[in-house]
Amino acid sequence: MLLKKRGHACLIASGLGTLVLLMMVLFGSIGSQSGSGSTLRLDYQLLGRPLYKLDLGWPRNPELFTGDVFAVAVDQYAGVVYVAQRGDGVPKVLVFTTNGDLLMSWNNTTLEMPHGIFLADAASLNPSLWITDVGNGPHGHCIKQYSTSGKLLQVLGTQGHPGSSLNPLQFDQPAEIFVHSSGEMYIVDGDGGMNNRLIKLSKDREVLWMHGEKGQGLAQFYIPHSVTVDNNLRVWVADRGNKRIQVFNSLTGDWLGTWGSCFTEDAPYSVRLTPDKKYFVVVQLHTNQISLLDAPPVGLIGQCKVVSVIQLADDVKPHLVDLDLKTGALYVAEIGAQQAQKFTPFSLGGSFP
């Protein structure tokens, strides 16, 4: 298992190490060395085209993870990674450099149970973090905007009061938020609560369109869990309870298609695009898999096609992911292993192949 207190190190000389690594890729798997001996322990496997490899040195001090790690967000401009975790008496957000050093941590008392985290306005002088809070206490059931140092700036929803109304906005265990560069917001509301909604808000926080019916039909949801928007006016939603991804027109909200054939064994929990826009990164928690799916061209949804899989060890339980849009590095929040991990693109230059 990939545990937070992994004591292994990469001790192979560079020339031999490269040879061993290439041999292991040819056989479709990669492992890491145990610190107690020379036996190779298989931590994960690469299936299909090898696109990512584990960065064993990130973070430098994995023991800093002290809670259940639920989400990550990357600032590619500042070279910073935000990790959200849960637990009594633990900092709710840990801030690392992309090199693995801890910069700070914070535990704002207004944050109960973080679920999803998204960095907005990354290119500006004042980026901010939007965190969905699924807590059942006085500050839960809403979406909060924080400064990068942990100051509460804004709240969407009514804290401590689950509901389904839109004016004012009221949420029930909102799962994730995606903030477009235009300022428009896409929210999936319903991590097991009464709501099963996809909502689009204007930059002024007005509802532009919504799908909010529970069910298995087109544009219906059962536990919508993650949302992302591509450059072709398409919104992709991980419809977890229905084991599928649904696709919508970002301008009109019209339903465009469904992917389900790739998720017969386990539901999609997280969906993100690689920086080159060629692949969707999709996480399946119970099968401990991170899959890369071909992104379809404009005007076509078709059927999903898995081109690469990172098969993690049992009980790692990956939950939500984010990518460094500059380097292509993939960061994974893992509930079972109680850690976040970094995977780098599988190329000599460190960028996506």
Side-chain angles (χ1 to χ4, degrees):
M1 182 192 300
L2 296 176
L3 296 176
K4 59 180 178 179
K5 294 184 179 179
R6 50 188 188 270
H8 45 258
C10 192
L11 302 177
I12 307 174
S14 58
L16 180 59
T18 301
L19 177 60
V20 171
L21 188 61
L22 291 173
M23 290 175 62
M24 291 159 62
V25 171
L26 290 175
F27 284 95
S29 63
I30 286 186
S32 59
Q33 279 198 339
S34 168
S36 60
S38 59
T39 301
L40 198 64
R41 181 166 62 87
L42 205 61
D43 282 332
Y44 68 103
Q45 290 182 309
L46 298 181
L47 309 175
R49 182 182 174 191
L51 296 179
Y52 278 95
K53 57 186 176 181
L54 178 64
D55 183 345
L56 290 171
W58 195 95
R60 300 188 192 279
N61 301 102
E63 67 274 6
L64 292 169
F65 297 121
T66 53
D68 294 329
V69 177
F70 268 75
V72 288
V74 185
D75 184 340
Q76 73 268 26
Y77 298 100
V80 172
V81 182
Y82 300 88
V83 181
Q85 61 177 7
R86 298 181 190 175
D88 295 332
V90 305
K92 295 300 190 297
V93 176
L94 301 171
V95 187
F96 295 94
T97 67
T98 51
N99 291 326
D101 296 312
L102 181 70
L103 293 175
M104 71 173 76
S105 62
W106 46 270
N107 189 24
N108 193 300
T109 56
T110 62
L111 186 56
E112 289 183 9
M113 294 183 67
H115 187 275
I117 182 171
F118 189 90
L119 182 80
D121 300 318
S124 73
L125 295 176
N126 296 299
S128 61
L129 293 166
W130 288 91
I131 301 178
T132 61
D133 194 331
V134 298
N136 289 313
H139 300 292
H141 297 293
C142 52
I143 304 171
K144 300 161 188 176
Q145 181 188 30
Y146 291 92
S147 72
T148 54
S149 60
K151 180 182 178 182
L152 181 63
L153 303 175
Q154 184 179 175
V155 177
L156 298 181
T158 306
Q159 295 190 73
H161 296 281
S164 60
S165 85
L166 290 175
N167 189 21
L169 285 169
Q170 244 180 318
F171 305 104
D172 188 352
Q173 297 187 347
E176 194 177 61
I177 181 172
F178 183 98
V179 184
H180 194 266
S181 58
S182 64
E184 296 172 331
M185 295 179 166
Y186 300 82
I187 299 166
V188 280
D189 177 27
D191 186 44
M194 71 175 72
N195 296 333
N196 291 274
R197 307 189 298 186
L198 168 63
I199 306 170
K200 180 180 179 180
L201 303 180
S202 71
K203 63 180 180 179
D204 298 319
R205 313 298 183 252
E206 296 180 353
V207 177
L208 297 178
W209 53 259
M210 183 192 77
H211 294 288
E213 188 174 349
K214 181 179 179 179
Q216 299 178 348
L218 305 183
Q220 295 179 331
F221 299 104
Y222 180 43
I223 314 181
H225 200 260
S226 181
V227 57
T228 197
V229 182
D230 65 17
N231 292 340
N232 300 316
L233 303 178
R234 298 179 296 192
V235 184
W236 300 76
V237 179
D239 187 4
R240 176 184 141 192
N242 287 322
K243 291 186 178 181
R244 64 186 181 182
I245 289 176
Q246 294 201 72
V247 193
F248 301 86
N249 183 297
S250 67
L251 295 179
T252 65
D254 292 338
W255 180 89
L256 298 177
T258 296
W259 281 357
S261 60
C262 296
F263 313 114
T264 56
E265 294 186 16
D266 191 19
Y269 274 67
S270 184
V271 56
R272 285 289 183 268
L273 263 172
T274 55
D276 58 9
K277 313 304 180 186
K278 291 182 178 180
Y279 307 102
F280 283 102
V281 180
V282 178
V283 161
Q284 292 171 277
L285 182 141
H286 295 291
T287 54
N288 300 290
Q289 290 181 334
I290 305 165
S291 299
L292 282 95
L293 284 60
D294 267 333
V298 180
L300 178 68
I301 302 299
Q303 293 296 315
C304 53
K305 178 184 177 182
V306 177
V307 296
S308 181
V309 174
I310 304 172
Q311 179 63 62
L312 302 175
D314 291 344
D315 298 324
V316 169
K317 296 192 181 305
H319 186 248
L320 292 173
V321 305
D322 200 18
L323 291 107
D324 186 324
L325 299 182
K326 180 179 180 181
T327 67
L330 168 65
Y331 294 84
V332 185
E334 300 168 352
I335 301 174
Q338 293 187 308
Q339 66 184 5
Q341 288 191 305
K342 176 182 180 180
F343 291 83
T344 56
F346 208 97
S347 67
L348 296 178
S351 59
F352 216 80

